Amino acid sequence: MAPQLHQRPPFRAEHLGSLLRPQELLEKKTAAEKGELPETDLKAVEDKEVQDIVATQQSLGYHAISDGEYRRHMFWGTFFPGLDGFEEVTDFDVEIFRPYAPDIAAFLESGHKPGETVLCTGKIKHVGSTYVDQFKYLASLVPQNEVKNLKITLAAPNWYHLRYREGQAYPKDVYANDEEYFGDIARACQAELKILYDAGCRNVQYDDPNLAYFCSEKFLKGFQEDTANVYNAEDLFQKYIDLYNDCLVGLPDDMHVGVHLCRGNFVGSRHFSEGGYDRIATKLFQELNVHTYYLEYDTPRAGGFEPLKHLPVHKNVILGVVTSKFAQLEDKEEMKKRVIDAAKFIAEGNNISLEAALNQVGVSPQCGFASHREGNAIDREGMINKLELVRQIADDIWPDQP
């Protein structure tokens, strides 16, 4: 049986999960970290703010509602630190990192090193979800028939591999090679997805800037010049595709999984890398077993729409044509034209009508509004305006569709 297009989710109007935290929440989190506020009091504030941001999303006409990632410090959350065999550390040698990995390079160029990282210290095993209670609380805030639409975002399974130099991702006396290491990562991801599924989750989005790094000339040059690497960048990209597919083995038919690619979203609305999807499009769209791609497309740094010719007819793409980094509003009519232009390449690549191609498309901001806790260089009013614009674009192109 041919693969089927999975929709509702995704929806015509989407956002990427993280939303600006209110100032009170930021202050309470800081107080809790200093030991000045009990964790129970922090949770009460988080619960209230999650309630408010859910109501905001509902009022704006969104269906793939998230909790704003309000309980997280960074977008990647707590999946890896919650596994046996991983340890979050703040004291580490910067030499463990690939200096040409775009996010690492940005830190090093500014004279800093990452504030923390997570290291593999032993055999990896899933010992309980750090997200399931958060999802259950989110689910308690919407009608039962809408729980299936709620979105939870997860860290990319390759997150703590790409950033480390060859031989630094795990101890050699724990894992003999990447295949063994990736095997346990995949089993941990499978366990996480099952727990979330059993709790009612049907909509997962993996956040993966790493895949977009393979579009970067600067990264690829650094990778090629690194004599410690045992395989080339194309081989590593294939290993990551295979890792994802192993993570999704046994996925129920009614669970939607997407992957979000961007080029960075850090303090001050900074991005880390540039380059179009052309280099990775065939493998990304045709070999990665996800239902939906959430793609950055707000500036020329993400290239043109031509790579979408490789998108199969059974997959969706959510076009991030509206920036989440700055408050200036895009022109709605221009954004609608861009969406139509993108769909034309899908139609061309599959020899289908423009109408059929548009059925595979949705629209969103290019990234979250607060991938890091402090948020982008945009205020709440600016964020609401952006979300309203995305909803308006979707309503104009796909009238009466969620």
Side-chain angles (χ1 to χ4, degrees):
M1 184 177 182
Q4 300 296 305
L5 189 65
H6 194 305
Q7 293 190 330
R8 313 295 190 271
F11 297 90
R12 300 305 181 197
E14 292 261 352
H15 67 75
L16 280 302
S18 69
L19 299 166
L20 292 174
R21 280 84 159 163
Q23 186 59 36
E24 181 187 3
L25 177 57
L26 293 174
E27 292 171 357
K28 297 295 186 183
K29 284 182 176 293
T30 299
E33 289 166 356
K34 293 179 178 179
E36 299 170 355
L37 184 75
E39 285 295 323
T40 52
D41 290 2
L42 174 61
K43 183 179 182 302
V45 175
E46 289 175 339
D47 287 351
K48 174 186 175 297
E49 298 298 352
V50 169
Q51 291 175 30
D52 289 348
I53 200 62
V54 166
T56 297
Q57 292 170 78
Q58 290 171 324
S59 70
L60 291 169
Y62 283 79
H63 298 266
I65 290 170
S66 78
D67 65 0
E69 299 181 4
Y70 277 8
R71 304 183 199 273
R72 304 185 189 188
H73 172 65
M74 296 289 284
F75 74 90
W76 54 74
T78 53
F79 174 71
F80 283 97
L83 300 175
D84 268 4
F86 275 107
E87 181 181 354
E88 188 171 56
V89 295
T90 56
D91 184 17
F92 47 86
D93 186 346
V94 73
E95 292 300 315
I96 65 176
F97 297 111
R98 300 182 194 270
Y100 48 88
D103 54 321
I104 300 298
F107 278 109
L108 299 180
E109 288 166 5
S110 62
H112 298 88
K113 74 174 186 178
E116 71 281 324
T117 195
V118 178
L119 296 173
C120 176
T121 57
K123 284 289 186 182
I124 299 162
K125 184 179 180 182
H126 194 281
V127 290
S129 173
T130 59
Y131 296 126
V132 67
D133 289 342
Q134 297 173 19
F135 178 82
K136 288 178 179 177
Y137 182 74
L138 179 63
S140 74
L141 303 179
V142 302
Q144 183 59 38
N145 65 339
E146 295 179 13
V147 171
K148 65 182 184 299
N149 300 331
L150 300 175
K151 179 191 287 187
I152 187 166
T153 61
L154 300 177
N158 57 48
W159 186 247
Y160 288 109
H161 185 268
L162 179 70
R163 58 178 35 208
Y164 297 130
R165 289 180 184 271
E166 180 66 34
Q168 297 294 324
Y170 48 83
K172 285 296 184 182
D173 60 346
V174 175
Y175 291 109
N177 52 47
D178 284 345
E179 284 68 31
E180 290 184 6
Y181 172 78
F182 288 155
D184 278 355
I185 294 284
R187 281 182 280 275
C189 289
Q190 291 169 14
E192 181 73 30
L193 291 172
K194 184 179 188 308
I195 290 171
L196 291 172
Y197 183 88
D198 289 345
C201 177
R202 298 294 183 271
N203 188 12
V204 168
Q205 172 191 303
Y206 279 98
D207 287 325
D208 197 341
N210 287 352
L211 293 183
Y213 292 170
F214 289 87
C215 305
S216 164
E217 292 280 0
K218 189 174 180 180
F219 169 75
L220 294 173
K221 182 175 185 291
F223 196 96
Q224 184 178 21
E225 293 174 350
D226 186 346
T227 57
N229 288 328
V230 297
Y231 31 69
N232 62 34
E234 185 175 346
D235 291 337
L236 184 60
F237 188 79
Q238 182 65 57
K239 285 181 179 291
Y240 289 165
I241 296 291
D242 295 341
L243 170 58
Y244 264 105
N245 291 343
D246 288 343
C247 291
L248 303 177
V249 167
L251 191 76
D253 290 342
D254 62 339
M255 191 168 197
H256 169 263
V257 175
V259 63
H260 166 52
L261 280 71
C262 79
R263 287 147 186 80
N265 197 42
F266 198 56
V267 176
S269 293
R270 178 170 185 173
H271 72 278
F272 293 135
S273 69
E274 299 181 353
Y277 300 99
D278 310 71
R279 289 179 178 274
I280 64 173
T282 302
K283 287 186 182 297
L284 179 70
F285 296 143
Q286 298 184 8
E287 297 185 23
L288 181 60
N289 295 333
V290 298
H291 303 104
T292 300
Y293 302 90
Y294 303 87
L295 300 183
E296 173 184 342
Y297 262 124
D298 63 322
T299 70
R301 69 172 168 262
F305 294 128
E306 291 83 355
L308 295 176
K309 289 188 289 187
H310 298 283
L311 185 77
V313 294
H314 65 279
K315 294 189 177 186
N316 307 283
V317 62
I318 307 300
L319 300 170
V321 295
V322 172
T323 191
S324 63
K325 288 179 164 57
F326 304 104
Q328 182 176 352
L329 274 179
E330 291 81 355
D331 179 83
K332 183 176 73 168
E333 296 305 317
E334 182 182 341
M335 295 304 102
K336 286 162 56 178
K337 181 180 182 301
R338 295 200 71 211
V339 172
I340 300 299
D341 288 344
K344 288 177 180 177
F345 284 106
I346 300 172
E348 178 186 343
N350 291 296
N351 194 26
I352 59 176
S353 68
L354 176 60
E355 181 181 15
L358 278 171
N359 188 47
Q360 298 175 238
V361 179
V363 65
S364 74
Q366 125 279 343
C367 197
F369 290 90
S371 299
H372 52 94
R373 189 166 77 188
E374 290 76 14
N376 290 353
I378 187 171
D379 61 14
R380 179 181 172 84
E381 181 183 3
M383 177 182 75
I384 297 299
N385 290 341
K386 294 284 183 170
L387 293 173
E388 288 179 338
L389 175 60
V390 167
R391 184 69 263 180
Q392 291 166 9
I393 294 167
D395 288 344
D396 283 2
I397 298 176
W398 304 278
D400 303 317
Q401 294 189 37

